[in-house]
Amino acid sequence: MPEQSELTIQGWGPPPSHPGGGDADTPAAVLPRPARRFLTRELGWTPRATPPVPVGDIRVAASRLPEAARQAFTELLGAGEVSEDRDARLRRTGGKSYLDLLRRRSGDASDAPDAVLTPGTTEEVAAVLRLCSEHGVVAVPFGGGTSVVGGLSGSDADDRPVVAVDLGRMSSVRSVDVHSSLVTVGPGMRGPALEEALARDGLTLGHLPQSWEYATLGGYAATRSAGQSSTGVGRFDDLVAGLTLATPAGVLQLGHPPASAAGPDLLGLALGSEGTLGVITELTLRVRPRPRGRHYEGWSFRTWAAGLATLQQLARHDLLPDVVRLSDADESRATLLMASGVGARAVRGSLRARRRGQGCLLVVGWEGIPSVARARRRAASSLLRDGGAVRLGGGVGRAWVHGRFSAPYLRDRLLDQGLLVETLETAATWTALPTVYDAVRAALRGALDRGGRHPLVMTHLSHGYPTGASLYVTVLADRDDALPIQQWLGAKRAATDALLAAGGTLTHHHAVGTDHRPWLAQEAGPLGISLLRAVKQQLDPTGVCNPGVLLPD
Amino acid sequence: MPEQSELTIQGWGPPPSHPGGGDADTPAAVLPRPARRFLTRELGWTPRATPPVPVGDIRVAASRLPEAARQAFTELLGAGEVSEDRDARLRRTGGKSYLDLLRRRSGDASDAPDAVLTPGTTEEVAAVLRLCSEHGVVAVPFGGGTSVVGGLSGSDADDRPVVAVDLGRMSSVRSVDVHSSLVTVGPGMRGPALEEALARDGLTLGHLPQSWEYATLGGYAATRSAGQSSTGVGRFDDLVAGLTLATPAGVLQLGHPPASAAGPDLLGLALGSEGTLGVITELTLRVRPRPRGRHYEGWSFRTWAAGLATLQQLARHDLLPDVVRLSDADESRATLLMASGVGARAVRGSLRARRRGQGCLLVVGWEGIPSVARARRRAASSLLRDGGAVRLGGGVGRAWVHGRFSAPYLRDRLLDQGLLVETLETAATWTALPTVYDAVRAALRGALDRGGRHPLVMTHLSHGYPTGASLYVTVLADRDDALPIQQWLGAKRAATDALLAAGGTLTHHHAVGTDHRPWLAQEAGPLGISLLRAVKQQLDPTGVCNPGVLLPD
């Protein structure tokens, strides 16, 4: 079983045994007062205690694993690596979307796997998948359990039993090739452990999504993740030089660093396959020297439109900072009002003095060789000033760095108090971006306005490319206590319809999962879907690999 | 029919009607004297006139296109767009590999297509492919005709009739989105025409392979090309934001700029598909502002090993120049000895004076925002000096820029004089690169040594990445006049076996074609091949799309 600390069952953060940890024994912390005041006014929200049911009261059905399958798995892996224990199953139930948390908080774990398997090698994983095929058992790969799109739903049209294939035992560095800037790792390894190991050679991976503390490297590949420094470091796709995919039909070795023209790129089929083609059992990743310098700072634009136009200029000249994050007016206002402390007050004061109280915050970060980073920063700063931005200094940047992984913890506190809290994301070309932004906001507001209560829709541009950028949207609203799931499903449907119609992609870095399945055909086209099905049919002819996600029924 | 000038039938360069052009009316120009002297001594070569047969004597069989298919194509496209004319067919016969040229020069065009079709739209191409399926006719897409791996062989295990689908009519810019740095073009467009069109908006694509004057944009995508500035600009793969693929099963729209996580990347299946899945009918490409500054210069390393080690240092710090080209001692010596003129003499003198007459030349090029390019150049220069390189100045750089597209023209002159001339390429990680280099050289020498005559094997590193680099090998030898094709096939087989065994990729940017087919399963694995077959079966169930290439029989 994994040695890494596990996420709490009903939210984010370490389990009760862990110092400072969560679950039922921690009282629902009260929100900071300025945040509470701001949200009450903004949303028409009535703060109220809506705590989760005790973990012991969560309903988990008896395992449906057939005896023959249990015997076969036990023979293959040993009895210690096949568990039908309630806690083990509960900890591999679903992911961490708002819908997942609503279900778990209300005591529903009807999506729990029937058993948890913990294979230790590629060969064992391949053998597990063959046995799954033989016994008609669905396999859901389990890494960090941090999916926010229902990627671990385990649902199956044929209602077959489900095993979670936990990769926690395959979580070590297998080799480092310093010369070629490559590291080979197990899929269950997490970012912090990898960074610690790489630091010994003066290296870093540099992939830092918000889920960094708990998500696994295999999960990043399976979902096409993007980190907070993705503008500089690249999407996770760009960091994968090779991988091993165990499938029911056999084992694929994919990728040939540094590059190849020997036919179409099959590695790209494994990236984003979300467990539907098999299980990623090894990854070779591109690493780099730890940057000698890092510089984060804040800027302010008077308007969102000015911010977008200026970042587009930076992007076309390849001058985007390694980290770039432009908040719209609603997010900027909320960030400043909800922040407490002397630093936040100083920034608020400084902005008011410059008549930018209603402006848009930009956080930028520069990394790498100091002389080159400085030249890039100077050239970019000049374009930022040309675009009307004013510099706020390093405090804003440091504050962002300090809080970069904190949002999911805060979400638990907001859920405790009767709020709807969810995020969604998309990407579009620079030309389409303003339309996509307007369309998503209008859709969410239309869907979530009810009886004098309004959602707060906060957006930031989170990843920049020469051809466009991604938008990350956070939604807060007073929760509909009677029908909370339906409330969000309606809003999500409206937002997704709107962003696709405006030219956005279904997802920029959260993946498809269960939640985006109904729309995939709209983006990939019927022939594209048939192509994905043909690939799946070849590798997983009995359809046991995570059938509940990605491909529509 | 295309308005762009066509390549000569038996070699490179413009046709006879074109100023300065080639074919039979141009006398085989004599090699510059220093080159002749050097090669005679080096190879044990006897210069002799081995001119091609007159174009009129090339044997072209009668068209085998069935009447019913001819009628169907004519009804679809109009009579003017369906040609069984000898010259039209001859101009779409094969590509420009050494083997292609040997055949065409000896009067063999047994691989000529039976007819040439010139559709004008995506819909027409899709309809052509449906008709091909119905009538059992093989379709070979024809762009620039510059394949050097037998990509246009048209060979078919079932010996069905073959049509060349010429894309010359689909060769215009369709739209430019300056904001999003995207241009949408027809697949038959060539680099020079695109650069001319983009220059009006101050933009450039920047993809400059050696075949730039004649190759087409669709061809770059179908073969996963890499340009001479690929270290800075990126491989062609990196420049394709979207494309349209017409297949017998329908039309696929692929790619969603700037980035997406909505399932596996299907665009990557079209890149490198070499016409086996259908025909690329439109491309959306990432463009960038024309660089305000360009700086090329030469350096010299004492040894190949020192050069590799130093470039690896640059690579891991992301300090590789936009253009980077390190020649080994054999290529450096040949370059300096074969060059004529005052500049070359000066460089030779300067190197001798510094005791680097036997060294390795490095050409580097810096582009982009001047202040940033300068910072990168300074940081890189410091590492180059640390690695023992001495700077030779701008002359070497300018000479390289001047001659960057000239090699294929020179090849024709060498072929006229009894020489074997061919190139091959691969890529490997920095760690594997020295072994791959040694293995390929030894294999080529072993295969081509005969009776006191030796090949000249010249290598340069042509594209650098953080994780490795590509090697480009040029081979010169005295031609075996009796069995020239077998002579090269033996050498190619030895080199390919050797580079794969040492960890190189089958091809870094020339593609698979016919020539590399026998080895693809070794690189992709049997399950990888079955995956490619499943994809092909879905899009091209009757196997009419370029069956002679990529996938082994």
Side-chain angles (χ1 to χ4, degrees):
Chain A
M1 284 290 163
E3 288 174 17
Q4 302 177 112
S5 73
E6 292 177 311
L7 271 171
T8 177
I9 288 165
Q10 293 170 306
W12 202 256
S17 62
H18 201 277
D23 270 353
D25 66 341
T26 311
V30 179
L31 272 183
R33 191 176 304 168
R36 195 185 178 87
R37 206 164 44 212
F38 170 72
L39 291 176
T40 309
R41 194 178 60 229
E42 195 78 9
L43 305 172
W45 162 58
T46 314
R48 57 198 182 270
T50 55
V53 304
V55 169
D57 291 356
I58 300 178
R59 299 173 297 282
V60 182
S63 169
R64 301 171 302 158
L65 191 68
E67 179 55 31
R70 180 185 304 113
Q71 275 183 18
F73 291 135
T74 305
E75 205 167 301
L76 173 70
L77 303 174
E81 311 302 346
V82 181
S83 172
E84 290 168 280
D85 173 70
R86 179 183 183 274
D87 186 69
R89 291 169 59 203
L90 205 41
R91 289 195 178 277
R92 277 91 182 164
T93 302
K96 295 297 176 190
S97 71
Y98 174 60
L99 298 181
D100 284 319
L101 298 192
L102 282 180
R103 290 195 187 102
R104 233 60 71 220
R105 293 169 64 96
S106 74
D108 175 7
S110 50
D111 48 347
D114 294 289
V116 179
L117 310 183
T118 41
T121 64
T122 295
E123 293 65 35
E124 283 185 359
V125 173
V128 161
L129 295 177
R130 275 196 305 277
L131 290 177
C132 284
S133 275
E134 276 170 46
H135 292 273
V137 171
V138 160
V140 179
F142 190 93
T146 60
S147 171
V148 289
V149 292
L152 303 163
S153 77
S155 74
D156 176 40
D158 298 329
D159 209 24
R160 292 171 286 187
V162 176
V163 292
V165 180
D166 187 293
L167 300 160
R169 281 177 64 215
M170 302 170 71
S171 57
S172 58
V173 171
R174 294 179 186 170
S175 63
V176 183
D177 178 349
V178 174
H179 263 64
S180 306
S181 293
L182 291 169
V183 62
T184 299
V185 298
M189 191 168 209
R190 296 180 186 169
L194 176 59
E195 293 295 350
E196 199 182 311
L198 290 173
R200 281 172 228 139
D201 289 308
L203 298 170
T204 180
L205 178 70
H207 184 74
L208 298 171
Q210 197 172 66
S211 58
W212 181 71
E213 296 161 297
Y214 293 96
T216 57
L217 297 160
Y220 294 148
T223 59
R224 309 187 71 184
S225 171
Q228 290 169 350
S229 308
S230 72
T231 305
V233 168
R235 293 167 63 79
F236 198 73
D237 287 3
D238 304 323
L239 303 179
V240 182
L243 63 76
T244 305
L245 184 73
T247 80
V251 175
L252 278 167
Q253 300 285 356
L254 301 170
H256 205 300
S260 174
D265 175 30
L266 297 179
L267 172 58
L269 286 180
L271 300 173
S273 60
E274 302 185 22
T276 62
L277 305 180
V279 178
I280 294 166
T281 58
E282 188 164 277
L283 299 111
T284 298
L285 303 173
R286 183 238 160 143
V287 294
R288 62 191 75 218
R290 294 181 79 76
R292 274 182 280 161
R294 282 202 173 93
H295 180 92
Y296 299 96
E297 63 185 21
W299 291 72
S300 170
F301 282 100
R302 212 175 285 281
T303 66
W304 174 246
L308 286 188
T310 307
L311 292 184
Q312 181 262 318
Q313 281 300 317
L314 264 68
R316 70 191 297 258
H317 289 289
D318 266 336
L319 283 177
L320 279 178
D322 299 296
V323 171
V324 56
R325 185 183 165 107
L326 173 70
S327 295
D328 72 353
D330 280 331
E331 185 169 288
S332 302
R333 192 162 50 97
T335 302
L336 290 170
L337 288 174
M338 288 169 72
S340 47
V342 180
R345 271 201 300 277
V347 171
R348 281 200 293 271
S350 150
L351 282 171
R352 268 197 306 271
R354 303 197 212 187
R355 303 193 182 204
R356 293 196 175 236
Q358 303 302 311
C360 293
L361 286 177
L362 171 70
V363 173
V364 295
W366 307 94
E367 301 177 349
I369 307 269
S371 63
V372 177
R374 200 163 41 239
R376 291 175 56 232
R377 180 152 62 92
R378 279 188 188 145
S381 298
S382 153
L383 286 180
L384 286 170
R385 276 187 293 267
D386 289 352
V390 297
R391 192 163 174 276
L392 302 178
V396 172
R398 283 190 296 275
W400 174 79
V401 169
H402 178 73
R404 66 198 297 180
F405 306 123
S406 65
Y409 298 93
L410 175 62
R411 178 176 62 165
D412 287 348
R413 303 289 77 82
L414 298 173
L415 293 181
D416 289 340
Q417 310 256 318
L419 280 169
L420 176 162
V421 192
E422 186 51 307
T423 63
L424 56 88
E425 41 79 52
T426 182
T429 63
W430 290 108
T431 300
L433 212 57
T435 316
V436 171
Y437 171 79
D438 289 341
V440 172
R441 282 165 58 84
L444 286 169
R445 284 174 170 173
L448 290 170
D449 267 355
R450 57 183 190 113
R453 280 162 291 186
H454 310 287
L456 175 61
V457 180
M458 303 179 289
T459 307
H460 63 262
L461 180 156
S462 58
H463 308 267
Y465 304 84
T467 55
S470 72
L471 295 177
Y472 191 90
V473 183
T474 303
V475 188
L476 294 180
D478 185 78
R479 190 191 308 153
D480 180 341
D481 288 327
L483 294 169
I485 290 182
Q486 287 79 345
Q487 180 190 25
W488 175 245
L489 286 178
K492 175 75 175 177
R493 196 178 311 121
T496 308
D497 286 343
L499 69 87
L500 285 176
T505 178
L506 188 49
T507 168
H508 167 265
H509 63 270
H510 281 171
V512 177
T514 305
D515 297 2
H516 294 135
R517 267 174 106 188
W519 288 274
L520 185 65
Q522 210 173 318
E523 178 148 335
L527 193 54
I529 296 289
S530 78
L531 210 50
L532 288 172
R533 280 195 207 288
V535 168
K536 181 167 172 76
Q537 177 63 27
Q538 190 65 31
L539 298 178
D540 176 28
T542 60
V544 293
C545 293
N546 211 8
V549 307
L550 189 60
L551 285 163
D553 278 328
Chain B
M1 285 290 161
E3 289 175 15
Q4 302 175 115
S5 74
E6 290 176 314
L7 273 172
T8 176
I9 288 165
Q10 293 169 307
W12 201 255
S17 62
H18 202 277
D23 270 354
D25 64 344
T26 310
V30 178
L31 270 185
R33 190 175 303 167
R36 198 183 177 89
R37 205 163 48 213
F38 170 73
L39 291 176
T40 308
R41 193 178 61 228
E42 195 78 8
L43 304 174
W45 162 56
T46 316
R48 56 198 183 272
T50 53
V53 304
V55 169
D57 291 354
I58 300 177
R59 300 173 299 281
V60 181
S63 169
R64 302 171 300 158
L65 191 68
E67 180 55 29
R70 181 185 303 112
Q71 275 183 16
F73 290 136
T74 305
E75 204 168 298
L76 173 70
L77 303 173
E81 313 301 346
V82 181
S83 172
E84 288 167 281
D85 173 70
R86 179 183 183 278
D87 186 69
R89 291 169 58 204
L90 205 41
R91 288 192 178 280
R92 276 98 186 156
T93 302
K96 296 297 175 191
S97 72
Y98 175 60
L99 297 181
D100 284 319
L101 298 191
L102 283 181
R103 291 194 186 103
R104 233 60 72 220
R105 292 169 65 95
S106 74
D108 175 7
S110 51
D111 47 346
D114 295 288
V116 179
L117 311 183
T118 42
T121 63
T122 295
E123 292 67 33
E124 282 186 0
V125 174
V128 160
L129 295 177
R130 274 196 304 275
L131 290 177
C132 284
S133 275
E134 276 171 45
H135 292 273
V137 171
V138 160
V140 179
F142 190 93
T146 59
S147 171
V148 289
V149 291
L152 304 162
S153 76
S155 75
D156 177 41
D158 299 329
D159 210 24
R160 292 169 289 187
V162 176
V163 292
V165 180
D166 187 293
L167 300 161
R169 281 175 66 215
M170 300 170 69
S171 58
S172 57
V173 171
R174 294 179 187 170
S175 63
V176 183
D177 178 349
V178 174
H179 262 64
S180 306
S181 293
L182 291 169
V183 61
T184 300
V185 299
M189 191 167 209
R190 294 179 187 169
L194 176 59
E195 291 295 350
E196 199 182 310
L198 290 174
R200 282 174 229 137
D201 290 309
L203 297 171
T204 181
L205 178 69
H207 184 74
L208 297 172
Q210 197 171 66
S211 59
W212 180 72
E213 296 162 300
Y214 294 97
T216 57
L217 297 161
Y220 294 147
T223 59
R224 309 188 69 185
S225 171
Q228 290 168 349
S229 308
S230 72
T231 305
V233 167
R235 294 167 63 78
F236 198 72
D237 287 3
D238 304 322
L239 303 179
V240 181
L243 62 74
T244 305
L245 184 72
T247 80
V251 175
L252 278 168
Q253 301 286 355
L254 301 171
H256 204 300
S260 174
D265 176 29
L266 298 179
L267 172 59
L269 286 180
L271 300 172
S273 60
E274 302 186 23
T276 62
L277 303 180
V279 179
I280 294 167
T281 58
E282 188 165 276
L283 300 109
T284 298
L285 303 172
R286 185 236 160 145
V287 294
R288 61 190 78 216
R290 294 181 80 75
R292 274 183 280 163
R294 280 202 174 90
H295 180 91
Y296 299 96
E297 64 185 21
W299 291 71
S300 171
F301 282 98
R302 211 175 286 281
T303 65
W304 174 245
L308 287 187
T310 307
L311 292 184
Q312 181 261 318
Q313 281 300 317
L314 265 66
R316 70 192 297 259
H317 289 289
D318 266 338
L319 283 176
L320 280 178
D322 300 296
V323 172
V324 58
R325 184 182 167 106
L326 173 70
S327 294
D328 71 354
D330 280 331
E331 185 169 288
S332 301
R333 193 163 51 98
T335 302
L336 289 169
L337 288 174
M338 289 170 72
S340 47
V342 179
R345 270 201 299 278
V347 171
R348 279 199 294 272
S350 149
L351 282 171
R352 267 197 306 273
R354 304 196 210 188
R355 304 193 180 201
R356 295 200 173 231
Q358 303 302 311
C360 294
L361 286 177
L362 170 70
V363 173
V364 294
W366 307 94
E367 301 178 347
I369 307 268
S371 62
V372 178
R374 199 159 47 236
R376 290 176 56 231
R377 179 151 63 90
R378 280 189 187 146
S381 298
S382 154
L383 287 180
L384 286 170
R385 275 187 296 266
D386 289 352
V390 297
R391 192 162 175 276
L392 303 177
V396 173
R398 282 189 297 274
W400 174 78
V401 170
H402 179 72
R404 66 197 298 179
F405 306 122
S406 65
Y409 298 93
L410 175 63
R411 177 176 62 166
D412 287 347
R413 304 288 78 80
L414 299 172
L415 293 181
D416 289 341
Q417 311 256 320
L419 281 168
L420 175 162
V421 193
E422 187 51 308
T423 63
L424 57 85
E425 40 80 51
T426 182
T429 61
W430 290 108
T431 300
L433 212 59
T435 316
V436 172
Y437 171 79
D438 290 341
V440 172
R441 281 165 61 84
L444 286 169
R445 284 173 169 172
L448 291 169
D449 269 354
R450 57 185 189 112
R453 282 163 288 190
H454 309 286
L456 175 61
V457 181
M458 303 177 290
T459 307
H460 63 261
L461 178 156
S462 57
H463 306 268
Y465 304 84
T467 55
S470 72
L471 295 177
Y472 190 88
V473 183
T474 304
V475 188
L476 294 180
D478 186 77
R479 192 192 307 154
D480 180 343
D481 288 328
L483 294 168
I485 289 181
Q486 287 79 344
Q487 181 190 25
W488 176 245
L489 287 179
K492 174 75 177 179
R493 196 179 311 119
T496 308
D497 286 344
L499 70 86
L500 285 176
T505 177
L506 188 48
T507 168
H508 168 263
H509 64 271
H510 281 172
V512 178
T514 304
D515 297 3
H516 294 136
R517 266 175 106 189
W519 288 275
L520 185 64
Q522 211 171 313
E523 178 149 334
L527 193 53
I529 297 289
S530 78
L531 210 49
L532 288 172
R533 279 196 209 289
V535 168
K536 180 167 172 76
Q537 177 64 28
Q538 190 65 31
L539 298 178
D540 175 28
T542 61
V544 293
C545 293
N546 211 10
V549 307
L550 187 61
L551 285 165
D553 278 330

